[in-house]
Amino acid sequence: MIQIIYNKNKIFIVLFTMIIVFCIYKSICLNPEVKIYDSKIDGPTILFINGTHGNEKAPVFAMDDFFKTHRPTIGKAIIIDNVNYCGFLANTRNLPSFITNTNINREYDDVKQNDINDIITKYIHDVDYVFDFHEGVEYQYLDFNRLGNSVSTDMNIIDTKNITNLLNERYDVVPWVSYIKPVEKLIKGTLFKYCMLNNINYTLFESSREVDVTLRIQQNNTILNYIFNKYLK
């Protein structure tokens, strides 16, 4: 009898511990910070996203530093910051493999959508522009199948071309390219495809991890300055 009670207590402790661990994991790993800076003056609502892939760090550093000193004087800025926080800590592209190994940017559909994607899609339907910051490998200029140093959109063609030109004027490295993507070429489950299918104005930035992180931060800062000065100042 005592042995049965002991075994039941062990099972209870294990289950209780698992529940606590899951709740901590969900709170830390599936709950990205959302920062909202509202000028209270009419203007566009801009959504900034960074850190979807945990090993793409330069946009996270750049955006964190930029908004320490910049606040909108018109419109509203919403920042979904360091989306994949646990991947950031583990330096992994996906949510850490010992948990789920989920690629967040393949989950924007009705079948797979998880807590993080739910948070992001909750905001994107009520904004004027979505600016999504990533980092690619190698360079699209040299290999069409790569995304490094590229600006891509479906709707926001003027900003895409202006930012590409600005980056190429300012930085003497492998050129940035602009890419207007048709929906049939997009990967299923990406935020880009989700926005296109839902008629949401989306732009994707991909600095290249082939260059030094300091330079990538500067490039991302240049992009942020352009967006801020055009829409929020």
Side-chain angles (χ1 to χ4, degrees):
M1 183 69 177
I2 294 175
Q3 183 66 36
I4 293 173
I5 294 174
Y6 174 74
N7 288 338
K8 285 183 177 180
N9 286 340
K10 281 180 64 178
I11 293 171
F12 172 79
I13 291 171
V14 169
L15 290 174
F16 180 76
T17 301
M18 290 175 64
I19 291 170
I20 294 298
V21 169
F22 175 76
C23 289
I24 294 172
Y25 155 66
K26 185 172 181 179
S27 174
I28 296 174
C29 297
L30 300 180
N31 189 32
E33 182 178 8
V34 179
K35 303 173 183 175
I36 300 176
Y37 303 118
D38 191 349
S39 70
K40 306 297 185 183
I41 297 174
D42 287 345
T45 299
I46 310 297
L47 176 61
F48 299 88
I49 301 170
N50 70 62
T52 295
H53 294 130
N55 60 346
E56 299 173 7
K57 298 180 183 293
V60 178
F61 296 140
M63 205 171 295
D64 180 62
D65 186 61
F66 185 85
F67 281 101
K68 286 178 181 177
T69 56
H70 292 76
R71 291 291 186 272
T73 55
I74 62 169
K76 180 192 298 185
I78 302 172
I79 301 108
I80 303 182
D81 189 37
N82 210 350
V83 169
N84 183 4
Y85 180 66
C86 287
F88 180 87
L89 294 178
N91 197 36
T92 58
R93 175 179 173 84
N94 298 345
L95 283 169
S97 59
F98 57 86
I99 301 172
T100 60
N101 198 33
T102 297
N103 184 341
I104 297 165
N105 203 32
R106 300 295 183 271
E107 299 282 304
Y108 290 98
D109 57 56
D110 293 335
V111 177
K112 296 182 180 178
Q113 199 157 326
N114 60 43
D115 288 6
I116 293 176
N117 301 89
D118 286 343
I119 291 169
I120 293 171
T121 54
K122 181 181 99 171
Y123 285 96
I124 62 175
H125 290 278
D126 297 318
V127 302
D128 297 292
Y129 298 91
V130 177
F131 293 108
D132 191 10
F133 289 73
H134 286 253
E135 295 203 280
V137 294
E138 300 184 19
Y139 303 99
Q140 190 171 49
Y141 180 77
L142 301 176
D143 183 347
F144 184 76
N145 295 313
R146 302 298 184 179
L147 287 173
N149 281 19
S150 68
V151 186
S152 306
T153 192
D154 175 49
M155 301 171 65
N156 194 2
I157 298 171
I158 293 175
D159 285 341
T160 295
K161 291 184 176 180
N162 286 344
I163 291 171
T164 301
N165 291 336
L166 178 62
L167 290 165
N168 287 331
E169 290 169 2
R170 188 160 296 182
Y171 301 101
D172 185 20
V173 292
V174 174
W176 284 68
V177 296
S178 54
Y179 186 26
I180 314 305
K181 289 193 175 182
V183 68
E184 61 269 14
K185 288 191 176 182
L186 295 180
I187 300 170
K188 181 180 179 182
T190 61
L191 182 56
F192 197 158
K193 186 163 187 176
Y194 181 92
C195 287
M196 289 181 70
L197 294 176
N198 287 276
N199 200 35
I200 296 166
N201 197 323
Y202 172 93
T203 306
L204 169 66
F205 302 103
E206 294 260 7
S207 48
S208 174
R209 284 182 284 143
E210 293 293 310
V211 301
D212 180 76
V213 65
T214 302
L215 177 58
R216 283 150 40 207
I217 291 171
Q218 291 172 355
Q219 291 171 334
N220 280 277
N221 187 71
T222 297
I223 297 168
L224 290 166
N225 264 303
Y226 172 94
I227 296 168
F228 185 88
N229 290 335
K230 180 172 180 178
Y231 293 109
L232 297 170
K233 186 176 178 180

